[in-house]
């Protein structure tokens, strides 16, 4: 099976009088279906690496291929297109559009992609919300939901176009332990039952221990790559 | 695209009051432009109509446009003349009957022959220099605007035979002569004849009222000592706009200089064009200012919604989508303002239509000349939309260039 993420010697340096290097020479390969924890001290470059993997940012050097697409040569438009169909982002904050209902928020990426008919989009949004325990919340606006519910809507939105890859940056960082567990279980299930590849930044080592694999970043460098929970690293 | 429209509309709805204010700014700009254009066009049309009414649409004289080619010119390449002028041919337009017939065969309007000459009018020891126009009354009635300006009598009096003359009321005053009096006309040949004033007109143009005199064509030819001569053919067309084409064809056909009213008034028409250019420059400036309002809102929205821009980009929207989104917002406000502006402009025109100008010296009270044209609406809207597009594009470009990473990182 070909790797979903294939990063070789990724470097990200911010140009400045004193250049800041956020990511140093990171090489890694993630297979489809893996549930990967990205851990490390605050400021170690976890988010920066995730932005590179999610095509939100461009590496200063190194190469990256996502789902078989070499991304170095892609222009902004193609990168957006690849992100739209292949990658789902979940951030620490939900970032839902406040003017739109829960369902409309989830339909936005689907409409941008335009692969389904409008009724099919509507159906899919409903199914996603139901599967995430949000039945009955379809027509509410984000500010009418609790923090945990909003984050689950954000997960649903990340899943809208059925991307093979989910990138999550401290998805439970702003939630209490009960809601954290709930969102974690959802991600766990997506990986196990639907074969989604998930890379999640987390500070919670207990959660990290329950994933398949743990990557440790220190000062922008990948210092450890360990299999956890008895799942072999390929 | 409907998705972008929905997003744009959501943003604008969140700024309804500001949007309305900016829209009103555009609306006032468009409204005043429409009213101004209606007035300008109205006064211009009024002016041109009077101009067109007061003169022949095409006038053919016995002049040639260029001096006759000189024999030496043809014989030697090196020969050049300067200061050549066309000579006045005392014979007038050669073979006038044939020329008239040739013109009448195709000209869509009325063709009237005339003989123009200079003379002196005399009465009771007073003198005035005048221009005599010998005319065929039955044709002249259909060609000349003077026909509608008679105070006493009409052109028909000239047809009655005998020594009759039609003068302006100004000349009458100058000479101290009235309708029915007899005055003397002295031709440049020295010939003197007496004519009875059988018609008096008042055109309002002093030069005409004091200096223009009409005789029957025969009398004018006799007085000038140029029997059968015609040196001035005037054409009144059914469609004045066709004059340049008719003039061109007439000139090509008969060889004499044919001048359309447009050519005769080139300088004035040019000045009217300059006036229009100035007006639309002012309109563009007004709408540019209105554009600032749009720039302001769209700019505010892009700052306020930078987090939404970042998330939309992270979802897979491209920079071009963001640019389009905010451009649409600017255009929407511009379009809204335009439509409101049509109502404002229409209302202003209605209001202007009620204004009466009452200057006793000029006779009856008149209303302001207003011309309604869908073009005024279209042009001011086009300018408003253009201004809105520019005003929306600038912040849209900024929004498109936003780096989502910076915003997502900064969000807490
Ligand atoms: N725009 C920037 N300018 C300067 N330093 C930055 C900038 N963005 C991030 N950093 C620094 O880069 C390092 C890595 O940041 P980040 O990837 O967010 O780490 P993490 O997510 O692991 O906390 C941090 O030390 C942060 O302060
Ligand atoms: Mg981080």
């Amino acid at each position: 099976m070909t790797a979903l993420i294939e990063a070789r010697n990724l470097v990200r340096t911010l140009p400045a009088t004193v250049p800041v290097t956020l990511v140093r020479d990171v090489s890694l390969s993630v297979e489809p279906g893996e549930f990967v924890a990205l851990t490390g001290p605050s400021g170690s470059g976890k988010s920066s690496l995730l932005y590179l993997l999610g095509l939100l940012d461009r590496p200063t050097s190194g190469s990256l291929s996502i789902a078989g697409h070499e991304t170095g040569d892609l222009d902004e438009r193609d990168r957006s297109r690849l992100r739209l169909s292949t990658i789902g982002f979940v951030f620490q904050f939900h970032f839902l559009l406040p003017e739109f209902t829960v369902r409309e928020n989830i339909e936005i990426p689907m409409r941008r992609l335009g692969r389904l008919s409008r009724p099919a989009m509507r159906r899919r949004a409903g199914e996603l919300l139901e599967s995430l325990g949000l039945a009955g919340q379809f027509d509410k606006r984000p500010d009418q939901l609790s923090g945990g519910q909003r984050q689950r809507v954000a997960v649903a939105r990340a899943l809208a176009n059925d991307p093979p890859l989910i990138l999550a940056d401290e998805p439970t960082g702003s939630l209490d332990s009960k809601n954290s567990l709930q969102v974690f279980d959802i991600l766990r299930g997506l990986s196990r039952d639907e074969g989604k590849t998930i890379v999640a930044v987390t500070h919670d080592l207990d959660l990290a221990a329950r994933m398949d694999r743990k990557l440790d970043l220190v000062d922008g460098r990948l210092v450890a790559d360990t299999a956890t929970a008895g799942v072999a690293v390929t | 695209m409907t998705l972008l429209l929905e997003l744009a509309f959501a943003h604008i709805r969140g700024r309804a009051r500001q949007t309305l204010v900016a829209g009103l700014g555009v609306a006032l700009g468009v409204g005043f432009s429409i009213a101004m254009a209606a007035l300008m066009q109205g006064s211009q049309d009024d002016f041109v109509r009077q101009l067109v009414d007061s003169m022949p649409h095409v006038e053919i004289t016995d002049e040639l446009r260029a001096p006759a080619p000189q024999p030496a010119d043809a014989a030697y390449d090196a020969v050049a003349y300067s200061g050549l002028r066309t000579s006045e041919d005392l014979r007038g337009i050669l073979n006038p009957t044939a020329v008239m017939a040739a013109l009448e065969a195709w000209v869509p309007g009325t063709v009237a022959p005339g003989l123009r000459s200079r003379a002196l009018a005399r009465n009771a020891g007073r003198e005035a220099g005048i221009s005599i126009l010998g005319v065929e009354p039955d044709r002249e009635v259909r060609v000349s605007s003077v026909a509608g300006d008679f105070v006493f009598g009409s052109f028909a009096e000239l047809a009655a035979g005998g020594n009759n003359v039609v003068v302006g009321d100004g000349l009458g005053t100058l000479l101290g002569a009235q309708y029915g009096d007899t005055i003397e006309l002295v031709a440049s040949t020295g010939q003197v004849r007496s004519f009875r004033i059988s018609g008096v007109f008042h055109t309002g143009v002093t030069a005409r009222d004091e200096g223009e005199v009409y005789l029957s064509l025969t009398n004018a030819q006799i007085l000038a000592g140029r029997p059968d001569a015609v040196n001035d053919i005037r054409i009144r067309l059914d469609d004045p706009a066709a004059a340049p084409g008719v003039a061109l064809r007439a000139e090509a056909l008969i060889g004499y200089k044919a001048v359309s009213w447009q050519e005769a008034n080139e300088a004035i028409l040019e000045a009217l064009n300059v006036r229009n250019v100035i007006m639309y420059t002012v309109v563009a400036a007004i709408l540019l200012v209105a554009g600032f309002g749009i720039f302001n809102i769209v700019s505010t929205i892009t700052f306020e919604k930078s987090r939404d821009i970042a998330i939309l980009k992270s979802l897979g929207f491209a920079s071009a989508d963001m640019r389009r989104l905010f451009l649409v917002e600017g255009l929407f406000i511009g379009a809204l303002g335009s439509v409101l502006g049509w109502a404002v402009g229409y209302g202003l025109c209605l209001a202007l239509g009620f204004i009466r100008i009452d200057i006793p010296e000029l006779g009856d009270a008149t209303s302001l000349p207003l011309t309604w044209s869908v073009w005024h609406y279209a042009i001011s809207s086009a300018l408003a939309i253009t201004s809105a597009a520019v005003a929306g594009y600038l912040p849209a470009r900024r929004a498109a260039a936003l780096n989502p990473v910076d915003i997502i990182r900064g969000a807490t």
Side-chain angles (χ1 to χ4, degrees):
Chain A
M1 215 174 218
T2 61
L4 194 68
I5 302 176
E6 187 70 63
R8 287 167 302 272
N9 310 102
L10 284 184
V11 175
R12 178 65 169 116
T13 303
L14 293 178
T17 27
V18 183
V20 185
T21 301
L22 310 178
V23 174
R24 292 173 204 272
D25 199 27
V26 169
S27 295
L28 73 103
S29 166
V30 177
E31 300 300 318
E34 276 193 286
F35 189 15
V36 181
L38 190 55
T39 62
S42 184
S44 57
K46 305 182 293 295
S47 297
S48 304
L49 178 57
L50 210 64
Y51 300 149
L52 289 177
L53 299 182
L55 308 180
L56 275 186
D57 198 8
R58 278 179 184 271
T60 311
S61 67
S63 68
L64 172 68
S65 122
I66 298 289
H69 299 270
E70 198 52 55
T71 62
D73 306 329
L74 299 183
D75 62 13
E76 194 260 353
R77 194 189 172 78
D78 292 335
R79 288 162 65 89
S80 300
R81 193 82 197 160
L82 190 55
R83 193 157 61 232
L84 186 65
S85 59
T86 319
I87 302 167
F89 264 109
V90 182
F91 299 102
Q92 181 175 357
F93 304 97
H94 59 85
F95 287 137
L96 298 172
L97 301 188
E99 298 92 349
F100 294 88
T101 65
V102 163
R103 193 209 302 268
E104 287 166 343
N105 262 284
I106 293 168
E107 285 177 357
I108 285 172
M110 296 192 239
R111 292 177 64 185
R112 180 64 189 84
L113 187 63
R115 209 173 267 164
L116 300 177
S117 68
R118 284 306 294 278
M121 290 179 193
R122 214 177 145 74
R123 232 174 5 254
R124 174 159 176 79
E127 285 162 10
L128 279 171
L129 285 168
E130 271 170 29
S131 73
L132 295 177
L134 290 161
Q137 315 293 327
F138 297 178
D139 296 320
K140 289 189 176 167
R141 295 192 188 272
D143 58 8
Q144 295 169 300
L145 300 180
S146 73
Q149 288 174 320
R150 279 182 232 169
Q151 198 62 336
R152 277 182 280 149
V153 176
V155 173
R157 182 178 59 186
L159 293 169
N161 285 330
D162 199 19
L165 177 61
I166 304 286
L167 300 174
D169 194 354
E170 303 189 38
T172 63
S174 60
L175 301 178
D176 60 24
S177 55
K178 178 171 159 283
N179 278 303
S180 289
L181 267 180
Q182 200 175 16
V183 169
F184 178 83
D185 287 340
I186 289 167
L187 295 178
R188 171 84 267 181
L190 287 171
S191 161
R192 191 184 47 219
D193 306 333
E194 302 192 20
K196 299 286 185 205
T197 308
I198 301 176
V199 178
V201 173
T202 182
H203 282 303
D204 190 326
L205 293 181
D206 289 340
L207 290 184
R210 294 170 55 197
M211 303 189 198
D212 301 337
R213 178 180 170 191
K214 182 161 148 297
L215 301 172
D216 276 302
L217 275 186
V218 173
D219 199 17
R221 212 179 286 282
L222 191 58
V223 295
D225 183 348
T226 38
T228 50
V231 177
V233 176
T234 45
Chain B
M1 196 62 206
T2 55
L3 175 57
L4 280 187
L5 288 180
E6 277 175 44
L7 289 167
F9 197 62
H11 286 171
I12 284 170
R13 211 169 29 198
R15 292 247 154 216
R17 237 189 51 195
Q18 252 187 309
T19 298
L20 202 64
V21 170
L24 281 180
V26 176
L28 286 180
V30 169
F32 279 107
S33 306
I34 289 169
M36 190 157 76
L39 258 182
M40 295 279 270
Q41 174 98 50
S43 58
Q44 174 175 333
D45 288 355
D46 212 39
F47 180 80
V48 170
R49 191 162 39 244
Q50 284 177 17
L51 194 71
V52 168
D53 277 351
S54 68
M55 62 189 304
H57 296 158
V58 176
E59 187 165 24
I60 302 169
T61 54
D62 57 353
E63 289 171 56
L64 299 172
R65 213 172 260 278
Q70 301 298 306
D73 244 351
Y76 306 104
D77 279 350
V79 171
Y81 289 89
S82 66
L84 281 181
R85 286 181 35 208
T86 53
S87 63
E88 197 181 339
D89 189 340
L90 277 182
R91 290 170 302 175
I93 293 173
L94 292 176
N95 208 350
T97 323
V99 165
M100 285 291 297
L103 287 172
E104 281 185 315
W106 60 272
V107 167
T110 308
V111 185
L115 178 67
R116 212 178 265 286
S117 60
R118 301 290 310 168
L120 205 65
R122 239 174 16 202
N123 183 47
R126 303 191 212 181
E127 292 181 349
I130 54 163
S131 159
I132 294 176
L133 188 56
V135 300
E136 287 182 2
D138 51 332
R139 287 177 191 271
E140 196 62 18
V141 167
R142 280 180 286 151
V143 165
S144 171
S145 65
V146 175
D149 291 330
F150 275 87
V151 184
F152 298 106
S154 70
F155 278 130
E157 309 287 339
L158 299 177
N163 289 337
N164 292 329
V165 63
V166 164
V167 302
D169 58 353
L171 184 64
T173 310
L174 281 180
L175 299 176
Q178 288 175 352
Y179 178 62
D181 291 352
T182 299
I183 59 172
E184 283 186 330
L185 299 183
V186 185
S188 52
T189 55
Q191 194 178 169
V192 183
R193 287 173 78 100
S194 294
F195 292 91
R196 197 179 69 87
I197 299 178
S198 58
V200 177
F201 58 82
H202 173 77
T203 62
V205 181
T206 311
R208 280 191 119 164
D209 290 343
E210 289 186 350
E212 207 153 87
V213 158
Y214 291 85
L215 296 177
S216 71
L217 184 57
T218 322
N219 278 340
Q221 286 164 342
I222 292 169
L223 184 66
R226 298 164 68 180
D228 298 327
V230 164
N231 64 3
D232 192 349
I233 296 175
R234 282 138 315 122
I235 301 174
R236 189 166 189 85
L237 297 170
D238 304 331
D239 172 19
V246 171
L248 214 63
R249 188 165 163 196
E251 189 163 323
L253 190 70
I254 60 178
Y256 287 107
K257 187 170 169 185
V259 176
S260 65
W261 65 269
Q262 289 97 330
E263 187 188 344
N265 295 287
E266 219 174 344
I268 293 173
L269 295 179
E270 187 60 33
L272 288 176
N273 272 341
V274 169
R275 207 174 74 133
N276 285 335
V277 168
I278 292 173
M279 176 184 76
Y280 276 109
T281 307
V282 171
V283 167
I286 293 173
L287 291 171
L288 195 67
V289 172
F292 281 119
I294 295 177
F295 174 82
N296 199 16
I297 301 192
V298 178
S299 216
T300 307
I301 294 175
T302 61
F303 279 103
E304 191 182 64
K305 295 293 180 189
S306 52
R307 193 186 275 212
D308 291 11
I309 297 167
I311 195 66
L312 287 171
K313 281 191 165 182
S314 82
L315 288 176
F317 283 73
S319 293
D321 293 321
M322 296 298 103
R323 196 160 43 235
R324 228 170 279 142
L325 171 62
F326 292 99
L327 189 61
V328 162
E329 293 181 18
L331 286 174
F332 175 81
I333 301 170
L336 177 83
S338 270
V339 172
L340 287 178
W342 293 343
V344 172
Y346 189 75
L348 277 173
C349 286
L350 279 185
L352 287 172
F354 281 118
I355 296 177
R356 300 270 148 214
I357 299 173
D358 197 355
I359 303 172
E361 292 78 33
L362 293 183
D364 304 340
T366 54
S367 48
L368 288 169
L370 291 166
T371 296
W372 190 92
S373 163
V374 72
W375 284 107
H376 301 154
Y377 290 73
I379 291 174
S380 53
S381 284
L383 287 172
I385 300 280
T386 307
S387 154
V390 172
Y393 181 75
L394 297 176
R397 209 178 45 167
R398 196 196 72 90
L402 274 182
N403 183 356
V405 167
D406 292 341
I407 294 157
I408 290 167
R409 217 190 264 286
T412 43

